[in-house]
Amino acid sequence: MTDRLAPGRTIGILGGGQLGRMLSVAAARLGYRCHIYDPAPDTPAGQVAAQVTTAPWDDARALAAFASEVDVITFEFENIPTQTLDLLDRLRPIRPGRQALAISQDRLHEKEFLQGLGLQTAPFMAVSSPDELTEAVARLGLPAILKTRRMGYDGKGQARLDQPEDMAAAWDMMAGAPAILEGFVSFSHEVSVIAARGLQGDVAAFDPGENLHKDGILRETRVPARLSGAQRSDAVLMAAKILNALDYVGVLGVELFVAKTGLIVNEIAPRVHNSGHWTQNACTVDQFEQHIRAVVGLPLGDGDRFADVVMENLIGDDLDRVPDLLRAKDTALHLYGKPEVRAGRKMGHVNRIIR
Ligand code: AMP
C-alpha cells in the first residue's frame, strides 16, 4: 500500500492513443502531469500531455529514463511487450499490475481465470495445430470462433467456422499463432461494465452499457442497457469479483453476452474502455478521472450517472457528419486529434444525453 501521490507529480502512460489522451486531460484537471511513452511521433495523447518520449518498446535506455521521470506508471492498451514491463516493473509501480496484464493478454489464461472465479464463459479449447482444431471442432461443435490467443482486438485475429470445410482457411488466418476455439454463444445483446478499484481496495462501478458492434468495431453504447435489476447487480458483482481477485488498481472493462443461461463474460480489458466513454457526459466523475484517482491513490467517485445517454463512435469518414451531429440537442463532441482519416479508424465520439 502506497501513500497518495501529491498533485504536481507525474503519471507515466504507456501508449499514446485516444485513451491516453483522455486520461491525460483528466489527470491535468486533477493537477497531475502526464508523460506519454509511445514508439510513434505526434500521438493523440502526446498532443495534450506535459511530456513525451518517442522510442521503441525495447529501448532499455529510453524506458529507464522515462521511469526516472515519472512517479507511477499506467497504460492505455494491454499488448505491451513483456520485456518492456519487466524492465519498468523494477523501477516504478505499474497500476494496474502485471497479473491483470498477463491474464488479459492471453485469451486462454483469461478464460481459465474467469472460470476459476466461477464465472460463465463461452466453452473453449486451446488449439495449436490443425489436428487440435479438428478435435476441438468435434468437441465444441459448430458454429464456433477461432481466435488468436494473443494480440487480438476489435474482432482482429478471428475466424468464424460454420462448417467443417471452414477449418483450413480459419487455421491459415491464425498464421501459426497459438489459438483458442470458442463455442458460439447464442446471445440476445452485448453489454459491458466499467468498474474501478482504488489503492485501498474500494470498488465502484458504472451502470452497464449496451454495446452495438459493426464489422467487429464498437459503434454505439446505450445507457441504460436492456437488463433486469438482477442482471444489473449480477454484472456489477462479477466485475467486483474480477477486480478483487486481481488485487486490481484502476479501471477495468468487462464485456458480457446476455444469454438465456445468464451473463457470459466475453473478455476483460485492464484499462479504460471505449464502451465507457459515455461517462464523460452522464457522470460527475467519468472513467478517465476514476482511473487517475485510483492510480494516484485518491478516493474513487461513486459511479452514479445523472442521465441516460448514447455514445456513438466516429469512425473514418463519420467525421464529415460532425456539423450535423452537433445540431442535435445535448450532444458533446470528443475528437482525438488524429491527423489522418482512415477507413475503420476511430477518430472521435459523440455523447448524446437523452432527456
Ligand atoms: P472479441 O474480439 O472477443 O471481443 O469478439 C468480437 C465480437 O465477436 C464480440 O463482440 C461478439 O459480437 C463476437 N463474438 C466473440 N466471441 C463470440 C462467441 N464465442 N460467440 C458468439 N459471438 C462471439
Side-chain angles (χ1 to χ4, degrees):
M1 205 143 299
T2 326
D3 287 340
R4 177 170 68 88
L5 211 64
R9 307 300 284 272
T10 302
I11 302 163
I13 302 180
L14 303 174
Q18 62 265 23
L19 301 177
R21 177 186 182 97
M22 292 182 275
L23 284 169
S24 300
V25 170
R29 263 198 294 116
L30 299 183
Y32 296 93
R33 302 164 63 83
C34 284
H35 184 154
I36 305 297
Y37 191 108
D38 195 296
D42 189 26
T43 59
Q47 293 166 14
V48 304
Q51 261 174 290
V52 176
T53 296
T54 307
W57 293 119
D58 60 359
D59 185 335
R61 280 179 66 173
L63 288 167
F66 166 77
S68 72
E69 288 168 10
V70 305
D71 298 289
V72 63
I73 296 172
T74 189
F75 46 86
E76 58 123 46
F77 77 115
E78 54 271 43
N79 291 319
I80 302 156
T82 311
Q83 305 88 302
T84 306
L85 295 165
D86 286 343
L87 199 152
L88 293 174
D89 211 15
R90 290 194 289 270
L91 303 171
R92 286 291 180 271
I94 302 180
R95 295 177 190 148
R98 294 294 303 278
Q99 199 199 350
L101 268 170
I103 281 171
S104 64
Q105 281 182 342
D106 185 321
R107 289 185 192 274
L108 181 63
H109 293 159
E110 182 177 89
K111 287 224 162 28
E112 288 169 345
F113 163 74
L114 294 165
Q115 289 204 341
L117 291 180
L119 304 178
Q120 273 197 81
T121 69
F124 64 93
M125 280 180 73
V127 169
S128 51
S129 68
D131 283 349
E132 284 180 11
L133 178 57
T134 306
E135 195 190 327
V137 166
R139 287 245 206 119
L140 300 179
L142 293 176
I145 303 185
L146 188 64
K147 302 180 179 180
T148 51
R149 279 175 57 174
R150 301 177 74 88
M151 300 295 270
Y153 65 96
D154 281 353
K156 295 195 174 80
Q158 301 193 9
R160 182 177 159 145
L161 291 87
D162 287 297
Q163 46 205 16
E165 295 76 60
D166 295 338
M167 276 195 275
W171 177 250
D172 285 349
M173 253 191 80
M174 300 299 111
I180 65 168
L181 188 73
E182 288 185 20
F184 199 80
V185 176
S186 160
F187 58 85
S188 58
H189 51 292
E190 297 183 62
V191 300
S192 58
V193 188
I194 309 300
R197 189 169 177 276
L199 204 50
Q200 321 298 332
D202 44 326
V203 169
F206 295 104
D207 207 7
E210 181 167 335
N211 300 323
L212 210 89
H213 295 91
K214 201 171 149 227
D215 304 327
I217 301 177
L218 180 70
R219 300 307 299 218
E220 212 174 88
T221 300
R222 295 182 161 263
V223 189
R226 283 174 296 158
L227 290 173
S228 66
Q231 285 175 320
R232 211 172 294 276
S233 308
D234 202 19
V236 168
L237 290 170
M238 287 163 90
K241 198 168 195 179
I242 295 168
L243 287 168
N244 286 329
L246 293 171
D247 196 18
Y248 196 93
V249 176
V251 164
L252 170 90
V254 183
E255 296 181 23
L256 301 160
F257 297 138
V258 183
K260 284 212 177 76
T261 55
L263 299 177
I264 296 174
V265 186
N266 175 31
E267 62 181 5
I268 58 177
R271 52 171 168 77
V272 287
H273 197 255
N274 192 170
S275 70
H277 291 358
W278 63 269
T279 59
Q280 290 173 307
N281 298 99
C283 300
T284 307
V285 177
D286 66 24
Q287 64 163 348
F288 302 101
E289 177 172 340
Q290 192 78 311
H291 186 76
I292 297 297
R293 285 193 189 197
V295 163
V296 301
L298 283 169
L300 299 181
D302 54 21
D304 281 357
R305 69 182 169 86
F306 49 76
D308 293 356
V309 57
V310 177
M311 187 283 307
E312 185 189 344
N313 267 339
L314 302 176
I315 296 166
D317 289 343
D318 283 345
L319 221 48
D320 300 340
R321 295 169 45 224
V322 162
D324 280 341
L325 286 165
L326 295 190
R327 277 189 198 101
K329 220 168 125 52
D330 292 332
T331 302
L333 175 66
H334 302 261
L335 292 184
Y336 307 150
K338 295 183 183 176
E340 198 190 327
V341 180
R342 270 189 249 134
R345 194 176 203 197
K346 292 175 182 168
M347 306 302 297
H349 64 275
V350 287
N351 287 327
R352 205 163 51 248
I353 296 294
I354 314 292
R355 291 179 200 268

